[in-house]
Amino acid sequence: MNNLTFLKEKGIDTDLALSYLGDESMYNEILLEFKNGFINQMGDIRKKYEAGDIATYAILVHALKSNCKTLGITSLANLAYDHEMKGKANDLQYINEHISELFLKANEIYQILEEYFTK
Protein backbone atom coordinates (compact mmCIF):
# COMPACT_ATOMS: atom_id res chain seq x y z
CA MET A 1 0.00 0.00 0.00
CA ASN A 2 1.22 3.48 -0.82
CA ASN A 3 2.20 5.76 2.03
CA LEU A 4 0.26 9.02 2.17
CA THR A 5 3.08 10.60 4.17
CA PHE A 6 5.07 10.86 0.93
CA LEU A 7 2.27 12.92 -0.65
CA LYS A 8 1.94 15.11 2.45
CA GLU A 9 5.67 15.82 2.36
CA LYS A 10 5.26 16.91 -1.28
CA GLY A 11 2.52 19.41 -0.37
CA ILE A 12 -0.56 17.37 -1.19
CA ASP A 13 -3.34 17.79 1.36
CA THR A 14 -4.32 14.17 1.81
CA ASP A 15 -6.39 15.01 4.89
CA LEU A 16 -8.60 17.26 2.77
CA ALA A 17 -8.84 14.59 0.08
CA LEU A 18 -9.80 11.92 2.59
CA SER A 19 -12.52 14.21 3.96
CA TYR A 20 -14.05 14.15 0.46
CA LEU A 21 -13.30 10.57 -0.51
CA GLY A 22 -13.59 8.64 2.74
CA ASP A 23 -10.70 6.22 2.91
CA GLU A 24 -7.18 5.68 1.66
CA SER A 25 -8.12 2.85 -0.67
CA MET A 26 -10.72 4.97 -2.48
CA TYR A 27 -8.32 7.90 -2.56
CA ASN A 28 -5.55 5.83 -4.12
CA GLU A 29 -7.93 4.40 -6.71
CA ILE A 30 -9.18 7.84 -7.78
CA LEU A 31 -5.70 9.37 -7.62
CA LEU A 32 -4.33 6.65 -9.91
CA GLU A 33 -7.19 7.20 -12.35
CA PHE A 34 -6.43 10.95 -12.29
CA LYS A 35 -2.70 10.31 -12.88
CA ASN A 36 -3.42 7.95 -15.77
CA GLY A 37 -5.57 10.56 -17.53
CA PHE A 38 -3.48 13.57 -16.51
CA ILE A 39 -1.24 13.82 -19.59
CA ASN A 40 -4.28 13.72 -21.88
CA GLN A 41 -6.12 16.25 -19.71
CA MET A 42 -3.21 18.68 -19.84
CA GLY A 43 -2.80 18.00 -23.57
CA ASP A 44 -6.43 18.99 -24.15
CA ILE A 45 -5.90 22.17 -22.15
CA ARG A 46 -2.81 23.00 -24.23
CA LYS A 47 -4.64 22.35 -27.52
CA LYS A 48 -7.50 24.68 -26.61
CA TYR A 49 -5.07 27.35 -25.44
CA GLU A 50 -3.00 27.10 -28.62
CA ALA A 51 -6.15 27.17 -30.77
CA GLY A 52 -7.29 30.33 -28.99
CA ASP A 53 -10.48 28.61 -27.80
CA ILE A 54 -10.47 30.35 -24.44
CA ALA A 55 -14.09 29.49 -23.61
CA THR A 56 -13.35 25.76 -23.80
CA TYR A 57 -9.97 26.34 -22.15
CA ALA A 58 -11.80 27.87 -19.17
CA ILE A 59 -14.07 24.83 -18.96
CA LEU A 60 -11.12 22.43 -19.06
CA VAL A 61 -9.13 24.27 -16.39
CA HIS A 62 -12.30 24.33 -14.27
CA ALA A 63 -12.40 20.53 -14.47
CA LEU A 64 -8.70 20.37 -13.61
CA LYS A 65 -9.30 22.67 -10.62
CA SER A 66 -12.17 20.52 -9.36
CA ASN A 67 -10.23 17.27 -9.72
CA CYS A 68 -7.17 18.70 -8.01
CA LYS A 69 -9.16 20.20 -5.16
CA THR A 70 -10.90 16.89 -4.48
CA LEU A 71 -7.54 15.09 -4.50
CA GLY A 72 -5.84 17.61 -2.19
CA ILE A 73 -3.58 18.98 -4.92
CA THR A 74 -4.31 22.53 -3.84
CA SER A 75 -1.29 24.22 -5.45
CA LEU A 76 -2.40 23.16 -8.92
CA ALA A 77 -6.09 23.65 -8.06
CA ASN A 78 -5.38 27.28 -7.14
CA LEU A 79 -3.46 27.91 -10.38
CA ALA A 80 -6.20 26.26 -12.41
CA TYR A 81 -8.79 28.42 -10.64
CA ASP A 82 -6.89 31.56 -11.59
CA HIS A 83 -6.78 30.41 -15.21
CA GLU A 84 -10.46 29.52 -15.12
CA MET A 85 -11.44 32.98 -13.86
CA LYS A 86 -9.15 34.75 -16.32
CA GLY A 87 -10.45 32.54 -19.13
CA LYS A 88 -14.04 33.40 -18.27
CA ALA A 89 -13.03 37.09 -18.27
CA ASN A 90 -11.23 36.53 -21.61
CA ASP A 91 -8.04 37.94 -20.05
CA LEU A 92 -5.60 36.60 -22.64
CA GLN A 93 -2.75 38.70 -21.31
CA TYR A 94 -2.88 36.98 -17.92
CA ILE A 95 -3.23 33.53 -19.48
CA ASN A 96 -0.35 34.12 -21.89
CA GLU A 97 1.88 35.39 -19.10
CA HIS A 98 1.06 32.50 -16.72
CA ILE A 99 0.48 29.49 -18.97
CA SER A 100 4.01 28.17 -18.45
CA GLU A 101 3.53 28.34 -14.68
CA LEU A 102 0.42 26.16 -15.00
CA PHE A 103 2.24 23.55 -17.06
CA LEU A 104 5.36 23.58 -14.88
CA LYS A 105 3.22 22.94 -11.79
CA ALA A 106 1.30 20.23 -13.65
CA ASN A 107 4.57 18.53 -14.58
CA GLU A 108 5.76 18.76 -10.98
CA ILE A 109 2.54 17.15 -9.75
CA TYR A 110 2.73 14.42 -12.38
CA GLN A 111 6.28 13.57 -11.30
CA ILE A 112 5.14 13.32 -7.67
CA LEU A 113 2.28 11.01 -8.61
CA GLU A 114 4.53 8.93 -10.84
CA GLU A 115 6.97 8.46 -7.97
CA TYR A 116 4.16 7.73 -5.51
CA PHE A 117 2.70 4.96 -7.66
CA THR A 118 6.06 3.37 -8.50
CA LYS A 119 7.13 3.03 -4.83
Side-chain angles (χ1 to χ4, degrees):
M1 183 54 67
N2 298 311
N3 185 344
L4 295 183
T5 303
F6 171 79
L7 294 176
K8 286 181 184 182
E9 290 170 353
K10 298 293 184 177
I12 296 177
D13 189 347
T14 56
D15 294 332
L16 176 66
L18 290 174
S19 76
Y20 293 132
L21 300 172
D23 63 35
E24 189 173 334
S25 175
M26 177 64 74
Y27 176 66
N28 280 320
E29 183 179 322
I30 293 171
L31 189 63
L32 180 60
E33 188 176 317
F34 173 76
K35 181 195 85 69
N36 289 341
F38 192 57
I39 291 174
N40 287 337
Q41 184 178 23
M42 293 308 298
D44 290 344
I45 289 170
R46 182 179 299 279
K47 285 177 195 165
K48 293 306 176 186
Y49 166 74
E50 289 175 351
D53 183 352
I54 300 306
T56 305
Y57 171 85
I59 292 167
L60 294 177
V61 291
H62 167 80
L64 175 65
K65 174 205 69 182
S66 298
N67 290 340
C68 288
K69 183 174 182 185
T70 300
L71 295 169
I73 308 169
T74 52
S75 59
L76 185 54
N78 292 339
L79 278 174
Y81 175 77
D82 292 342
H83 280 261
E84 174 191 358
M85 293 296 103
K86 298 301 183 176
K88 287 179 177 178
N90 207 32
D91 186 345
L92 298 178
Q93 181 177 347
Y94 176 90
I95 294 169
N96 290 334
E97 290 174 0
H98 295 90
I99 191 76
S100 61
E101 182 183 1
L102 180 71
F103 280 92
L104 286 170
K105 179 55 75 175
N107 184 58
E108 177 187 318
I109 295 300
Y110 184 79
Q111 296 305 318
I112 291 168
L113 298 180
E114 188 73 9
E115 186 176 346
Y116 178 68
F117 284 108
T118 56
K119 283 188 172 225

